C-alpha cells in the first residue's frame, strides 16, 4: 500500500517538510504543493473568495482584494 502515501516535501506555503498534496487554485489555475493543513486553509480561502497566498494576492487580486487580504492577514 505504499502507493497511497503522499510524497514528502517542502510545503510551498509554510515551508515545513511534510506530506504534500497538490492544490490547484481556481483563481490562477496554478498547482501548489501544500501540506494537509495549508491545503485545507487554501480551500477555505478560495471558498471564501480570498487568495491562497501572498504571491497570488499580489499578482491576481484587485487593489481592494489585496487590501482586504492584507487586512485579514495582519
Ligand atoms: Zn504547509
Amino acid at each position: 500500500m505504499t502507493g497511497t502515501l503522499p510524497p514528502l516535501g517542502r510545503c510551498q506555503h509554510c515551508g515545513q517538510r511534510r506530506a504534500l498534496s497538490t492544490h490547484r487554485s481556481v483563481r490562477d489555475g496554478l498547482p501548489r504543493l501544500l501540506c494537509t493543513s495549508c491545503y485545507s486553509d487554501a480551500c477555505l480561502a478560495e471558498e471564501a473568495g480570498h487568495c491562497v497566498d501572498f504571491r497570488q494576492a499580489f499578482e491576481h487580486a484587485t487593489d481592494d482584494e489585496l487590501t482586504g487580504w492584507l487586512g485579514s492577514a495582519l
Side-chain angles (χ1 to χ4, degrees):
M1 293 292 283
T2 53
T4 60
L5 289 173
L8 276 181
R10 196 172 144 86
C11 173
Q12 289 182 359
H13 198 104
C14 66
Q16 307 227 27
R17 185 171 166 77
R18 288 177 171 165
L20 301 178
S21 305
T22 302
H23 175 272
R24 187 176 292 275
S25 169
V26 295
R27 184 183 287 264
D28 60 17
L30 297 176
R32 289 170 173 76
L33 286 171
L34 301 176
C35 71
T36 307
S37 82
C38 292
Y39 186 98
S40 62
D41 284 353
C43 290
L44 289 173
E46 293 220 305
E47 278 174 20
H50 298 310
C51 297
V52 298
D53 61 20
F54 181 77
R55 176 184 292 272
Q56 185 183 69
F58 199 73
E59 292 180 353
H60 295 273
T62 64
D63 284 351
D64 281 351
E65 285 178 328
L66 185 57
T67 305
W69 190 87
L70 288 172
S72 68
L74 292 174

